[in-house]
Amino acid sequence: MSTSTPIPSVAAQNAADRRTFVRATLDLGDVLLRPWSREADELDVMLDGLTAAAADPLISRWNPFPAADRAEALAWLELREGGWDRGDAASFAVLDPADGAVLGAVGLRWVDRADGLAMISYWTLPAARGRSVATRATRAVTSWAFETADARRIEIAHATGNEASCRVAHRCGYPAEGTLRDSHRYGDGAYHDEHLHARLATDPEPVDVAGGPTA
């Protein structure tokens, strides 16, 4: 008696193909979103931006990541490239197009790839704050994910004390859906309640950014 491996349906195969993040550059004019890179001609700028971000008090509290020195930052970049290679995470550096300086970051990852559920996060360095950079970059990556990767629902979770992140979520069309108690341990070592926001692919585009301070 022979056995055979079930063959996925065409619909299932197509869904898997669609739900892949493929490297892209998003040009917002005065801001450029590109995949993080270890290319020699821009590596120094990338590493300098990452170590500066990791040392920033707000980022180290609400969006901590290991980049205390250039070796850690290089390892972080390697992991971001792996996410792109697998198509399961899209990590964009937010850059000044004039000199390539790092302004911030937007990261997107699948929570449940088969179901089209993803989560997005963002941070900006002090020089980019107050310019709606986080809002415009997050909106651009959100639209890109809905249009090119068949995302169905994208979530944002942030500590309730991170009011700037909350403002960005609302400006990007992510309404608040509830509070997650003791949901995540942040850079201060404590567990914090988090606000959960989400946007569906079927939701209307948010109104134009009005400006004002952002994360």
Side-chain angles (χ1 to χ4, degrees), residues 42 46 56 79 107 126 182:
E42 54 189 352
M46 294 283 184
D56 177 76
L79 289 175
D182 271 6

Side-chain angles (χ1 to χ4, degrees), residues 31 49 52-63 65 94 102-105 122-136 162 164-165 167-168 171 211-215:
V31 175
D56 177 76
L58 285 179
I59 295 173
S60 64
R61 182 178 186 186
W62 299 128
N63 300 89
F65 62 95
V94 182
V102 175
L103 300 176
Y122 40 84
W123 51 259
T124 54
L125 282 160
R129 295 170 190 161
R131 296 164 46 190
S132 294
V133 170
T135 299
R136 291 184 292 131
N162 189 351
S165 188
R167 291 193 296 270
V168 171
R171 289 172 182 166
T214 60

Side-chain angles (χ1 to χ4, degrees), residues 197-214:
H197 302 252
R199 185 168 157 191
L200 304 179
T202 53
D203 287 342
E205 285 290 323
V207 297
D208 289 341
V209 179
T214 60

Side-chain angles (χ1 to χ4, degrees), residues 37-138:
S37 172
R38 292 186 293 160
E39 294 295 326
D41 61 342
E42 54 189 352
L43 181 58
D44 285 342
V45 174
M46 294 283 184
L47 295 178
D48 289 344
L50 286 172
T51 54
D56 177 76
L58 285 179
I59 295 173
S60 64
R61 182 178 186 186
W62 299 128
N63 300 89
F65 62 95
D69 54 38
R70 294 170 74 86
E72 284 191 346
L74 187 61
W76 188 90
L77 286 177
E78 185 175 0
L79 289 175
R80 306 288 82 73
E81 290 186 341
W84 280 110
D85 291 341
R86 295 186 300 274
D88 59 18
S91 300
F92 290 92
V94 182
L95 307 173
D96 185 330
D99 58 9
V102 175
L103 300 176
V106 178
L108 186 70
R109 63 178 177 84
W110 290 118
V111 176
D112 187 333
R113 190 169 181 171
D115 192 44
L117 173 62
M119 179 163 281
I120 196 167
S121 60
Y122 40 84
W123 51 259
T124 54
L125 282 160
R129 295 170 190 161
R131 296 164 46 190
S132 294
V133 170
T135 299
R136 291 184 292 131
T138 301

